[in-house]
């Protein structure tokens, strides 16, 4: 038995949580296509499980191939035949500001959805909700500062040149389950400012934020077909978004394995892509930095989404002479983290998102023990939490950098410490990975920190902390991805460059500088 919006019978949910069930998914049985909430082509649904209880929470419509085709068709028609792509950037920016305002109105709903779907603690979800509109305001501000049309002197004939940066076309935005809203907005906002139309494909495990974004876009009056949002459970339906020739670009965040598959399909038809993929990011601790301070900071950041984020500093490299002291401090700080209900006021880390993710983490812990690493704390399910997908904060020491737990993305609250002979080897070990998404260097010497940062093969390098800034750029080296999201670089990825060579200066354009 289900209530409005597909919410499961409240008798199956603990009494203390009944009042917290959001009514935000008012259109859970629908898909958002061509500016309307439309009935799906079949009765197929996706059941979303509350990570903290292991019980059903909400059921949403599952898009089929006909639905995905309809969404792509709506985006294609809106781009080719409606006015969105011909609006000026300043005109489009007004819609982005309205969407930002609508998202700010939904902070409470967002704060309820993310903990249930992915296990993040409520306070973190509320903080994310408060900044949900930031990406739209950020790109709206860029409408008047970005060179969409750059006047130049032609060198080989003609009197007036324009380097025009125009929308790439229809964009397929594919987001994962761990932080859907945060990753969604940094795809959708620049795509819309660029003049693209978008089909968002939400993860079956975490569709709620996609519904919120669709409701915000509709309330903001975004023209029909410019944004379409569907949830697909079948892989064939998701691959349809990638393979359909009506889609000009895919912006994907997810695993490296899925990214390889998507890249191969897009390569066959020479479609555009940005792929933000996996990571096994290294924190390099130099010998002048206080070990207790870095242990405390790393333990704090790893509790974020229970370690379920690609940029996690999960591989820590310290010189061999300081290894034992460091792992003791790290085990103390990380092992004392309070694990529990993500809505509990004292909770510091919530559950993993789903049972299969917990199973995966358990398998990696067993591999680590089998390969000879030292398990210092954690490694199992909390004895006092019988319901939900909880896992203890876990620290391994004496880890061989070539082992599975050091080379493969675990996506859970597991930190591995790798000893190095000296600073030179520490940098070599940090770079000895197929990944290159994030990293940090810990040192009191700012210049030394910059020198090491230059040598680390990663898309982001932080100093004395976990860092990341989408207003600059985000993405990875090597198998951590292709291209960048965020900042001016991220806007460029949704634009095609066109050279226009004219016989004279057109109206409204400035005189060329000598």
């Amino acid at each position: 038995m289900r209530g409005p919006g597909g919410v499961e019978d409240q008798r199956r949910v603990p009494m203390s949580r009944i009042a917290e069930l959001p009514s935000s998914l008012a259109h859970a049985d629908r898909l958002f296509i061509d500016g309307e909430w439309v009935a799906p082509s079949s009765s197929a649904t996706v059941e979303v499980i509350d990570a903290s209880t292991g019980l059903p929470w909400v059921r949403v419509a599952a898009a089929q191939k006909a639905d995905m085709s309809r969404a792509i068709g709506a985006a294609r028609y809106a781009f080719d035949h409606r006015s969105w792509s011909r609006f000026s950037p300043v005109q489009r920016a007004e819609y982005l500001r309205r969407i930002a305002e609508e998202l700010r109105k939904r902070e409470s709903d967002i704060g309820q959805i993310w903990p249930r779907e992915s296990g993040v603690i409520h306070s973190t979800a509320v903080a994310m909700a408060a900044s949900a509109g930031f990406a739209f305001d950020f790109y709206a501000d860029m409408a008047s500062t970005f060179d969409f049309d750059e006047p130049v002197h032609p060198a080989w004939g003609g009197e007036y040149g324009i380097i025009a940066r125009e929308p790439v076309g229809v964009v397929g935005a594919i987001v994962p389950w761990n932080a859907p809203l945060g990753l969604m907005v940094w795809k959708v906002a620049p795509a819309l400012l660029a003049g693209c139309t978008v089909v968002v494909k939400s993860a079956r495990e975490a569709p709620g934020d996609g519904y919120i974004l669709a409701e915000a876009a509709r309330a903001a009056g975004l023209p029909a077909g410019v944004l379409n949002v569907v949830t697909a459970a079948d892989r064939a339906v998701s691959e349809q978004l990638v393979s359909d020739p009506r889609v000009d670009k895919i912006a994907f965040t997810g695993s490296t394995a899925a990214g390889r598959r998507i890249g191969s399909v897009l390569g066959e038809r020479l479609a555009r892509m940005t792929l933000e993929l996996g990571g096994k990011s290294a924190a390099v601790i130099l010998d002048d930095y206080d070990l207790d301070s870095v242990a405390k900071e790393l333990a704090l950041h790893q509790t974020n989404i229970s370690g379920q984020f690609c940029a996690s500093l999960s591989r820590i490299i310290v010189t061999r002479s300081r290894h034992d002291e460091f792992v003791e401090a790290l085990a103390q700080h990380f092992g004392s983290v309070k694990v529990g209900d993500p809505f509990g006021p004292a909770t510091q880390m919530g559950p993993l998102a789903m049972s299969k993710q917990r199973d995966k983490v358990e398998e990696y812990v067993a591999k680590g023990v089998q390969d000879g690493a030292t398990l210092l704390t954690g490694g199992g399910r909390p004895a006092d939490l019988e319901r939900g997908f909880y896992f203890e904060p876990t620290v391994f020491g004496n880890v061989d950098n070539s082992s599975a737990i050091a080379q493969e993305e675990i996506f859970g609250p597991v930190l591995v410490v790798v000893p190095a002979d000296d600073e030179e080897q520490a940098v070599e070990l940090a770079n000895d990975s197929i990944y290159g998404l994030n990293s940090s260097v810990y040192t009191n010497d700012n210049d030394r920190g910059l020198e090491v940062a230059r040598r680390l093969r990663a898309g982001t390098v932080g100093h004395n902390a976990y860092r990341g800034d989408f207003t600059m750029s985000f993405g990875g080296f090597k198998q951590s991805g292709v291209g960048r999201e965020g900042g001016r670089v991220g806007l460029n990825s949704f634009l095609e460059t066109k050279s226009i060579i004219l016989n004279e200066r057109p109206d409204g354009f400035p005189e060329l500088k000598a």
Side-chain angles (χ1 to χ4, degrees), residues 8-30:
E8 293 286 337
D9 187 339
Q10 293 180 342
R11 290 172 297 180
R12 299 181 62 184
V13 180
M15 289 299 294
S16 63
R17 303 168 63 85
I18 289 177
E20 300 169 358
L21 286 170
S23 58
S24 56
L25 303 185
H27 307 284
D29 60 342
R30 303 277 164 155

Side-chain angles (χ1 to χ4, degrees), residues 243-474:
S243 61
D244 195 308
R246 294 174 293 175
V247 178
D248 299 292
K249 174 185 172 168
I250 292 293
F252 170 79
T253 299
S255 71
T256 293
R260 292 191 194 106
R261 169 62 181 164
I262 289 170
S264 67
V265 173
L266 295 175
E268 285 293 320
R269 60 185 189 87
L270 296 179
R272 279 47 177 163
M273 71 183 87
T274 47
L275 307 176
E276 193 272 285
L277 308 177
K280 191 69 179 180
S281 300
V284 177
I285 308 171
L286 303 189
D287 283 349
D288 68 331
Y289 201 79
D290 180 69
L291 292 177
D292 190 69
S293 296
V294 67
K296 185 182 301 183
E297 197 276 329
L298 287 170
L300 175 66
H301 109 276
Q302 188 66 10
T303 62
N304 190 19
I305 328 178
S306 304
Q308 300 170 117
F309 59 110
C310 53
S312 164
L313 296 174
S314 57
R315 187 166 54 107
I316 307 157
I317 302 171
V318 63
T319 49
R320 199 174 304 278
S321 61
R322 307 180 84 203
H323 171 275
D324 291 352
E325 180 185 352
F326 175 67
V327 294
E328 182 179 342
L330 186 62
Q332 177 185 346
H333 287 295
F334 200 34
S336 63
V337 167
K338 172 63 176 176
V339 180
D341 185 338
F343 292 96
T347 299
Q348 295 172 289
M349 189 177 82
L352 295 169
M354 61 203 78
S355 60
K356 67 178 181 180
Q357 188 60 30
R358 184 173 60 181
D359 292 344
K360 175 185 174 183
V361 174
E362 288 176 330
E363 289 171 5
Y364 273 110
V365 168
K367 283 182 183 179
V369 172
Q370 182 179 349
D371 290 344
T374 304
L375 179 61
L376 292 132
T377 189
R381 305 180 185 188
D384 60 333
L385 295 169
E386 298 179 359
R387 178 180 288 171
F389 310 126
Y390 297 94
F391 199 80
E392 295 171 327
T394 300
V395 174
F396 277 103
N398 293 303
V399 176
D400 185 330
N401 198 57
S402 65
S403 66
I405 60 170
Q407 289 293 318
E408 299 175 19
E409 188 174 40
I410 298 175
F411 229 57
V414 180
L415 296 172
V416 303
V417 182
V418 179
D421 293 336
D422 51 29
E423 178 183 313
E424 185 68 25
Q425 189 189 34
V427 174
E428 291 177 3
L429 291 170
N431 290 332
D432 183 17
S433 169
I434 64 170
Y435 298 113
L437 184 58
N438 191 28
S439 60
S440 282
V441 56
Y442 290 80
T443 175
N444 293 316
D445 187 329
N446 194 68
D447 292 336
R448 190 179 177 201
L450 176 59
E451 190 274 329
V452 172
R454 295 280 195 187
R455 297 171 62 195
L456 293 173
R457 299 281 293 166
T460 298
V461 182
H463 183 206
N464 294 351
Y466 167 84
R467 306 287 188 194
D469 192 335
F470 271 85
T471 70
M472 295 173 65
S473 73
F474 184 74

Side-chain angles (χ1 to χ4, degrees), residues 106-123:
R106 305 302 298 274
E107 291 178 7
S108 176
D109 290 332
I110 296 166
Q112 287 289 320
I113 290 170
W114 196 16
R116 300 174 189 281
E117 292 181 338
S118 302
V120 66
I121 61 174
H122 183 246
S123 60

